[in-house]
Amino acid sequence: MRNIFAMVFNSFILIICGGSVLNTGSYIFHETVTMLPVETDGSASSDVLYVYFGDWPQTIKKTDVAIDETKRITIGFNTYYLGSDNCYYAKVVEHGYYSSHRYSDGSPVLHSWPQDEKIKYFKVEPIKWRVLTKNYKGTKRALLLAEKILDTQIPFYDDCYNFCDYKTSSVRSYLNTKLYTNECFLKSAFTEKAQDKISFTDLSNEDGIIISDKIFLLGLEDIRNHDYGFDETDLNTRVKYPTDYVLAKGIFTNMYFGSPWWLSSTQGTEGKAWCISSSGKESCCEAEEMANGIVPALTILLPE
């Protein structure tokens, strides 16, 4: 039986992956692209277009929201629990990188130890994307880049002792299929209906080999493209900030800037891959680094 996702959940029955059935709250999953008003706040100038599409855990739960763990849904590999505000929340064991970090509500980001695990909940919210171009390489599809860092603790390449390439990388598996840790961004951030709307995008690696994915990372060529709004003389155009959810999972954050995030480009040196540093500079990182961030990109047809 085909999986069905109801869009509005007030007193609706939801049939999700695996065919399980439950009563849900009133959260609306974003299965189609929603254009945001001109001059919507974001990291770029006010003439940049932003959209909502897909859903992901992001903001820490407010203290007055109660979680009912008997009411839950599973989207891909993510399980969400219903809150008293009729929104869904992800449950995370807190493993902050620094105790000096703060969530958006001002509370400290803590590091749990096995004997004292600290559980936090993070609200599932629409993913905000920046439209880098409405006509990616002449395809008439828009190129979208996540506005914030959405995940961490994913190495570019696990156990990389030789030259690493994006085609066989751990981060590519996580974005599109399934990592060894049973995580997959594509299947967990989008319902099946939403996944069908995302285009396959052809990418070429260092050897000129073409790969085709629905979710991918930008490369050095992209991050140097002024038409996409990036400027090497203004590094703020490349700085990305983590969500509360990502802070809890242990991303590195510079208190004066943002956090480092992976690119798809690899470096000639063994065991290295490119990333954008906390301050927006191009940097070479150990491919096994776990504290870098993930900023997904995709192409899609925008609504007329």
Side-chain angles (χ1 to χ4, degrees):
M1 180 178 180
R2 186 187 174 116
N3 295 327
I4 303 171
F5 286 84
M7 281 294 295
V8 183
F9 299 142
N10 277 320
S11 343
F12 277 48
I13 296 286
L14 175 66
I15 304 176
I16 59 174
C17 295
S20 55
V21 180
L22 64 151
N23 292 318
T24 70
S26 58
Y27 183 74
I28 301 173
F29 282 87
H30 294 72
E31 297 185 309
T32 58
V33 174
T34 301
M35 313 289 283
L36 298 181
V38 177
E39 299 187 357
T40 295
D41 289 339
S43 60
S45 59
S46 60
D47 59 348
V48 170
L49 181 64
Y50 292 96
V51 301
Y52 282 150
F53 181 54
D55 305 86
W56 196 252
Q58 295 178 64
T59 305
I60 192 167
K61 179 184 73 67
K62 293 181 178 179
T63 56
D64 61 350
V65 173
I67 302 296
D68 184 351
E69 292 197 5
T70 66
K71 297 178 181 178
R72 59 179 182 259
I73 61 172
T74 298
I75 307 294
F77 296 94
N78 287 1
T79 297
Y80 300 136
Y81 303 94
L82 188 64
S84 56
D85 57 353
N86 283 330
C87 292
Y88 282 99
Y89 290 82
K91 180 180 181 180
V92 176
V93 177
E94 194 175 28
H95 286 293
Y97 194 93
Y98 284 140
S99 58
S100 59
H101 292 167
R102 292 289 185 271
Y103 293 119
S104 58
D105 64 357
S107 61
V109 180
L110 304 177
H111 186 90
S112 296
W113 301 100
Q115 67 274 20
D116 183 29
E117 288 191 343
K118 296 175 177 62
I119 303 297
K120 292 290 175 65
Y121 295 89
F122 297 87
K123 189 175 183 179
V124 177
E125 298 170 297
I127 302 172
K128 184 178 180 180
W129 306 83
R130 191 168 104 198
V131 180
L132 300 186
T133 175
K134 292 182 179 180
N135 188 20
Y136 177 68
K137 295 185 177 180
T139 60
K140 297 183 179 181
R141 302 194 305 265
L143 173 61
L144 308 186
L145 179 69
E147 177 68 355
K148 292 188 176 182
I149 296 173
L150 296 180
D151 214 343
T152 188
Q153 300 304 308
I154 309 295
F156 185 91
Y157 213 110
D158 188 55
D159 296 328
C160 180
Y161 298 105
N162 298 303
F163 179 77
C164 305
D165 72 331
Y166 183 67
K167 180 180 180 181
T168 58
S169 66
S170 302
V171 70
R172 182 185 178 219
S173 295
Y174 160 76
L175 290 172
N176 291 280
T177 53
K178 186 177 75 169
L179 200 58
Y180 53 88
T181 53
N182 279 342
E183 296 176 278
C184 175
F185 180 79
L186 173 65
K187 296 177 182 178
S188 302
F190 306 99
T191 66
E192 286 191 350
K193 180 178 178 180
Q195 291 176 44
D196 289 342
K197 296 181 184 301
I198 303 171
S199 303
F200 279 98
T201 301
D202 290 340
L203 311 164
S204 59
N205 66 5
E206 287 74 10
D207 299 323
I209 298 173
I210 301 297
I211 57 178
S212 187
D213 289 330
K214 287 199 169 188
I215 308 294
F216 54 94
L217 300 180
L218 296 187
L220 283 172
E221 178 183 353
D222 301 309
I223 211 69
R224 295 169 179 170
N225 191 333
H226 289 205
D227 292 337
Y228 292 171
F230 301 117
D231 187 347
E232 63 272 15
T233 66
D234 181 6
L235 296 180
N236 286 327
T237 61
R238 300 170 167 184
V239 172
K240 288 289 184 183
Y241 297 92
T243 62
D244 290 341
Y245 172 74
V246 177
L247 284 174
K249 293 185 71 174
I251 194 170
F252 170 80
T253 295
N254 185 310
M255 63 184 296
Y256 300 106
F257 299 106
S259 295
W261 48 289
W262 287 118
L263 299 177
S264 62
S265 302
T266 53
Q267 212 262 355
T269 306
E270 292 182 357
K272 300 281 188 178
W274 285 99
C275 71
I276 298 299
S277 72
S278 299
S279 60
K281 296 179 180 179
E282 296 171 11
S283 181
C284 223
C285 296
E286 296 291 335
E288 296 178 8
E289 175 60 58
M290 298 289 288
N292 283 358
I294 306 295
V295 182
L298 60 87
T299 62
I300 195 169
L301 289 173
L302 294 180
E304 297 293 337

